[in-house]
Amino acid sequence: MAEPVVKAEGVHKSFGRLEVLKGISMAVNQGQVFVIIGPSGSGKSTFLRCINHLEKIDAGRIWVDGDLVGYRQVGDKLHELRDSEAVTARAKIGMVFQHFNLFPHMTAAENVTLAQRIVLDRSPKEARRRAAELLGRVGLADKVDEYPARLSGGQQQRVAIARALAMDPKVMLFDEVTSALDPELVKDVLDVMRELAKLGMTMIVVTHEIGFAREVANQVIFMDEGAIVEQGSPEQLIRNPKEERTKQFLGLVLEH
């Protein structure tokens, strides 16, 4: 068996006295889509941020593409990477946030080219070519030179997805990427994510979109209070959950 693209073992994270992650373990193989669902405050977004080393873990290990995230192991000891080293490692991990985080003074294409030039050292011409290709792929071929203020929320989110893809990541992390959008704009963003899944992109998606989870996920994880309560195929977990807490959550979500 090939090594998992993302592997977490016993990940703990606290903010002060609040324990947000209580020993999370999972393994995501090449081309799999894992969807994480659960109530607000269950630790889903914090876990994604730990995979990307935007939050430092207190215990456990996370590997992406076979490399430890944020640390180097020497003997039994972990040594934290310097920020410059962490940036290079983070380039393997594409992340799209709830809020688009685009630079307002840059066009769509400039937003997508910036990190390619700084982190991957691509020439302006090559970075621009890649930006145009990816903006076309997310349905924005005619918006390449538009500024974010002239784009809808859904279009801005698709620029953010193109920006993450431009780094040729090994895995894409999506953190509630549709929750700030008007309902009619959600479909376009989910369609881009469906297309990525079809093309074999490894993805970990935190979302409340149960329909998307049912249709696209290989595995669905239900988290509550910093722990994985239940994990299984969409068929098993959404249609026939075993745990009472999962049933209760899905009952509330599916009523709406």
Side-chain angles (χ1 to χ4, degrees):
M1 278 292 287
E3 189 77 15
V5 177
V6 178
K7 186 178 175 187
E9 279 184 3
V11 173
H12 287 259
K13 174 69 185 174
S14 296
F15 295 106
R17 289 186 182 169
L18 179 65
E19 196 179 7
V20 180
L21 298 176
K22 302 171 182 173
I24 301 291
S25 297
M26 70 170 68
V28 185
N29 293 325
Q30 176 71 45
Q32 285 191 312
V33 178
F34 271 49
V35 172
I36 305 176
I37 61 172
S40 296
S42 57
K44 309 181 302 290
S45 295
T46 299
F47 178 59
L48 280 197
R49 292 173 66 83
C50 289
I51 294 173
N52 207 13
H53 202 55
L54 292 173
E55 299 289 354
K56 295 169 186 178
I57 62 178
D58 299 324
R61 303 271 196 283
I62 299 173
W63 293 264
V64 171
D65 197 33
D67 294 328
L68 267 177
V69 172
Y71 299 91
R72 182 185 298 108
Q73 188 157 345
V74 182
D76 293 339
K77 288 220 167 117
L78 284 185
H79 299 271
E80 194 171 334
L81 296 179
R82 291 195 300 272
D83 285 347
S84 59
E85 296 172 304
V87 164
T88 310
R90 197 179 284 145
K92 292 181 176 185
I93 307 164
M95 186 155 181
V96 187
F97 301 86
Q98 179 176 350
H99 300 292
F100 327 120
N101 300 345
L102 299 178
F103 291 110
H105 61 288
M106 292 184 172
T107 64
E110 287 166 345
N111 268 285
V112 178
T113 55
L114 184 65
Q116 294 185 64
R117 293 180 59 187
I118 293 170
V119 180
L120 301 182
D121 204 23
R122 284 183 181 152
S123 70
K125 187 176 176 183
E126 170 65 6
R128 172 80 188 195
R129 186 194 64 71
R130 185 82 174 118
E133 175 194 323
L134 288 166
L135 287 167
R137 201 204 291 183
V138 299
L140 296 173
D142 58 339
K143 305 291 184 187
V144 170
D145 294 316
E146 290 286 9
Y147 288 90
R150 293 175 57 93
L151 300 173
S152 71
Q155 289 170 334
Q156 290 186 59
Q157 193 59 290
R158 284 183 279 151
V159 173
I161 293 172
R163 176 179 60 187
L165 290 172
M167 304 302 287
D168 300 328
K170 297 289 184 182
V171 59
M172 286 282 285
L173 310 178
F174 293 90
D175 187 14
E176 302 276 19
V177 295
T178 58
S179 60
L181 301 179
D182 292 334
E184 65 269 22
L185 302 177
V186 168
K187 181 183 178 297
D188 289 340
V189 174
L190 291 180
D191 282 348
V192 169
M193 293 166 67
R194 283 187 187 95
E195 195 54 38
L196 286 177
K198 274 188 208 156
L199 293 169
M201 174 60 75
T202 309
M203 294 158 62
I204 304 177
V205 182
V206 167
T207 187
H208 291 295
E209 300 286 342
I210 302 294
F212 175 83
R214 191 185 279 133
E215 183 191 338
V216 179
N218 300 103
Q219 289 280 297
V220 181
I221 287 170
F222 173 63
M223 276 181 71
D224 190 30
E225 296 185 350
I228 293 175
V229 175
E230 190 168 352
Q231 176 177 338
S233 67
E235 182 70 27
Q236 184 260 302
L237 190 136
I238 295 169
R239 294 238 166 98
N240 190 26
K242 293 187 177 79
E243 300 293 332
E244 203 48 51
R245 183 67 188 95
T246 317
K247 289 176 189 172
Q248 197 185 6
F249 173 77
L250 287 169
L252 289 171
V253 172
L254 295 171
E255 276 171 20
H256 294 291

